[in-house]
């Protein structure tokens, strides 16, 4: 698998349900970031979690990081139709914190 | 505080022409990054610039592609003699690099992208 690989590739849920997306990576990292991209648009920064943090919250978002397993999860609670988008995790490797490596993303569809 | 601005949003070029993409970073940001996104793919790093300096261009093809970030004005990504394979979305991001106890964080803020189509 490639650095910053998300799964599942696609996720379809009903409004009000929770959505969980996972990200795995290969090398040691400084930070891990999650971004959202609406179809044909730019990326919106959601949250950054540092390598020495295990969990972080922002509104309806909850991110966890397990550096021993080289994995992260993004939980969106009480989903809304407006959450429909692609979600990407991005990692920056130790020693080059400016170079973000993105996976192919998880396409989340929230049905009203 | 305006976000990262890119123009044009859409650009159509015939094979062999030049494409010039512009990026104005967020106010107060002096670090600029260019990424390319092919259809159904994640973003791929191309180049990292600071004012008047290219810091890392390891992700940029060695031929036909160049980038600059002059002292005044926007950052420019230039693609000469475009080919169909250059068709993609090109995103610019900017950041302040923040220092905190224990290390650096690098939150990058992305522009809306330029969608290049080569016909």
């Amino acid at each position: 698998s490639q650095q910053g690989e998300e799964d599942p590739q696609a996720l379809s849920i009903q409004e009000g349900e929770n959505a969980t997306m996972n990200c795995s990576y290969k090398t040691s990292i400084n930070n891990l970031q999650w971004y959202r991209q609406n179809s044909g648009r730019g990326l919106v920064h959601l949250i950054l979690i540092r390598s020495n943090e295990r969990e972080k919250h922002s509104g309806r978002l909850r991110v966890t990081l397990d550096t021993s397993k080289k994995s992260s999860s993004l939980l969106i609670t009480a989903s809304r139709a407006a959450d429909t988008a692609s979600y990407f995790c991005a990692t920056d490797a130790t020693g080059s914190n400016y170079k973000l490596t993105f996976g192919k993303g998880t396409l989340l569809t929230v049905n009203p | 505080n305006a976000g990262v601005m890119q123009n044009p949003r859409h650009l159509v070029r015939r094979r062999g022409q030049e494409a010039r993409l512009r990026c104005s970073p967020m106010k107060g940001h002096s670090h600029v990054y260019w990424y390319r996104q092919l259809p159904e793919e994640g973003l791929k790093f191309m180049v990292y610039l600071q004012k008047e300096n290219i810091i890392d261009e390891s992700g940029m093809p060695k031929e036909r592609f160049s980038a600059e970030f002059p002292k005044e004005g926007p950052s420019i990504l230039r693609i000469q003699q475009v080919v169909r394979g250059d068709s993609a979305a090109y995103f610019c991001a900017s950041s302040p690099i923040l220092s905190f106890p224990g290390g650096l964080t690098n939150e990058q803020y992305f522009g809306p992208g330029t969608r290049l189509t080569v016909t």
Side-chain angles (χ1 to χ4, degrees), chain A residues 2 30-31 33 35 37 40-43 45 48 50 52 88 92 97-105, chain B residues 33 35 37 40-45 48 56 58 91 97 100 104-112 115:
Chain A
Q2 56 183 314
N30 295 310
N31 309 292
Q33 305 183 52
Y35 289 85
Q37 184 180 37
R41 307 290 291 275
L43 275 75
H45 185 270
L48 178 150
R50 300 173 186 140
N52 62 354
F88 295 89
D92 55 354
N97 69 321
Y98 54 82
K99 188 185 296 187
L100 297 184
T101 300
F102 288 81
K104 293 185 180 181
Chain B
Y33 317 82
Y35 292 81
Q37 184 180 34
E40 311 299 325
E41 296 280 331
L43 278 70
K44 297 285 191 279
F45 170 84
Y48 163 39
D56 183 341
S58 60
F91 290 94
I97 289 188
F100 72 100
L104 300 173
T105 65
N106 181 17
E107 292 188 19
Q108 297 185 14
Y109 296 86
F110 283 78
R115 277 151 186 82

Side-chain angles (χ1 to χ4, degrees), chain A residues 19-31:
Chain A
T20 300
M21 289 159 273
N22 303 297
C23 167
S24 60
Y25 57 92
K26 284 186 160 182
T27 62
S28 296
I29 61 170
N30 295 310
N31 309 292

Side-chain angles (χ1 to χ4, degrees), chain B residues 5-116:
Chain B
M5 300 180 69
Q6 289 188 250
N7 67 81
R9 296 290 305 277
H10 299 274
L11 182 62
V12 180
R13 284 287 179 266
R14 291 197 180 94
R15 277 182 300 170
Q17 291 185 319
E18 177 179 285
R20 191 172 295 201
L21 288 61
R22 295 175 185 78
C23 168
S24 296
M26 286 180 70
K27 188 175 180 181
H29 289 189
S30 57
H31 305 266
V32 166
Y33 317 82
W34 286 92
Y35 292 81
R36 177 164 65 177
Q37 184 180 34
L38 297 171
E40 311 299 325
E41 296 280 331
L43 278 70
K44 297 285 191 279
F45 170 84
M46 298 181 73
V47 61
Y48 163 39
L49 309 104
Q50 296 178 20
K51 285 282 186 183
E52 300 184 281
N53 283 305
I54 297 174
I55 307 302
D56 183 341
E57 57 183 348
S58 60
M60 201 154 66
K62 290 188 171 26
E63 296 180 354
R64 303 187 297 107
F65 285 71
S66 63
E68 62 177 14
F69 188 16
K71 188 177 180 181
E72 300 292 336
S75 175
I76 306 286
L77 178 67
R78 185 180 292 109
I79 311 172
Q80 296 177 303
Q81 298 176 332
V82 296
V83 301
R84 287 221 172 98
D86 297 332
S87 294
Y90 292 83
F91 290 94
C92 168
S94 72
S95 75
I97 289 188
L98 307 173
S99 296
F100 72 100
L104 300 173
T105 65
N106 181 17
E107 292 188 19
Q108 297 185 14
Y109 296 86
F110 283 78
T114 293
R115 277 151 186 82
L116 172 66

